[in-house]
Each structure stands twice: as C-alpha cells, then as structure tokens.
Amino acid sequence: MTDLDISFDPTRLDHAMILQFLREQAHWAANMDGARLQRAIRHSLVIGAYHHGRQIGFARVITDYASFAYLSDVFVLPAHRGQRVGQAMIKAAIAHPDLQQLRRFLLVSRDARGFYRQLGFGPLQQGERYMELRQQATHPALLRWPFTMRRPQAERSRISA
C-alpha cells in the first residue's frame, strides 16, 4: 500500500475507532470499555497504521523493554486488509529500537496463526511450562487489595511461645 504511515505516537490514535472495532469486531475484546482501553494504551507501546492521515490499523506491545513483550489487540480495518498493513505494523514493532534486547515476544491468536508464522512467530517451545491465571476462575478473596499475609492464629501462637 502506498502512503502508509506507521507511527508509535499515542497522541495520533483514533481512540473512538479503536474502541468501536474492539467492541464490535474483535472476539478477544468484546467487553472493552473506554476507560480500560485508555489504561491499556497508556501502559503499552502502541502502533498505529495510517493511510492519508486516517487510522486504519492498530496494535500494542505490552513490555518491560528488557526481556519480554506481548503483542496484543492487532487489527486492520476490513477495507484495508490484504494490503500488507498488518505485516508493516508487526515488522515495525519487532524492529523498534527499544525492543531489540528482548528474549521473548509472545502473542495469542485463534485465527491468524498463518499470518504470524510468515513473520517468524512459531509455537511455544516448552509450552507445558506456561500457565495462566484467569480472573473469572479465581476465588474473589485472592484478588482483594491491599494484600496482607496473615498466619493462621494457631501458627502465630506457636511462633510467639
């Protein structure tokens, strides 16, 4: 695609378009709300794809900038798919100067695995080591803040005796 501009500038993002796409067309983010999107953008390296100044694609990288990154919320508007916009965004993310020391770059994909394979991604090596904690499967007491470590009364009595 000619006149494609890839930018990491969060001030250029069309937040309304991103939120609408995520809510209406992204199976992974159907429950996204504006406040959550703003927070996600604020804490990520964002990638915007622009054609004639209009945003047509989005992705974000969640990273510590030292060893790990997770690629998330990647999309290209339907009218611009098949024109290598997604490839340009992912290649720009991988080539970003602040991400050159990473040991691992992860993503999860249900239906675009072939697309990511073309860009060098592959199945997890030693995938059996990876685990996840899903909030809906977690006991609510584990999620309370502030967190405190308290020993059961019997243990406290034994220690102080």
Side-chain angles (χ1 to χ4, degrees), residues 11-136:
T11 65
R12 289 185 66 188
L13 296 175
D14 181 343
H15 294 245
M17 181 278 290
I18 296 166
L19 182 60
Q20 181 178 2
F21 183 92
L22 291 175
R23 280 184 172 167
E24 297 175 6
Q25 298 185 49
H27 61 82
W28 66 88
N31 296 328
M32 183 65 72
D33 61 55
R36 185 175 296 202
L37 176 63
Q38 297 305 318
R39 190 174 192 183
I41 287 171
R42 201 169 44 250
H43 294 285
S44 301
L45 174 66
V46 294
I47 301 108
Y50 303 87
H51 186 248
H52 298 296
R54 184 174 155 259
Q55 188 172 358
I56 61 169
F58 175 73
R60 63 190 184 93
V61 178
I62 305 155
T63 184
D64 62 6
Y65 293 98
S67 65
F68 177 82
Y70 179 82
L71 184 62
S72 184
D73 295 333
V74 178
F75 71 84
V76 175
L77 294 177
H80 300 278
R81 291 182 185 159
Q83 300 174 47
R84 300 181 188 228
V85 175
Q87 284 185 5
M89 287 193 306
I90 305 310
K91 286 179 178 179
I94 293 168
H96 192 284
D98 293 342
L99 304 181
Q100 296 310 297
Q101 300 304 312
L102 300 179
R103 290 181 296 141
R104 186 165 285 121
F105 213 122
L106 293 180
L107 63 86
V108 175
S109 177
R110 179 175 84 181
D111 50 6
R113 296 171 71 80
F115 167 77
Y116 291 110
R117 260 189 222 99
Q118 294 173 14
L119 296 165
F121 288 87
L124 282 176
Q125 294 180 7
Q126 303 170 334
E128 69 279 358
R129 293 182 182 186
Y130 287 78
M131 299 175 73
E132 71 176 336
L133 173 67
R134 297 183 67 87
Q135 184 171 340
Q136 62 269 27

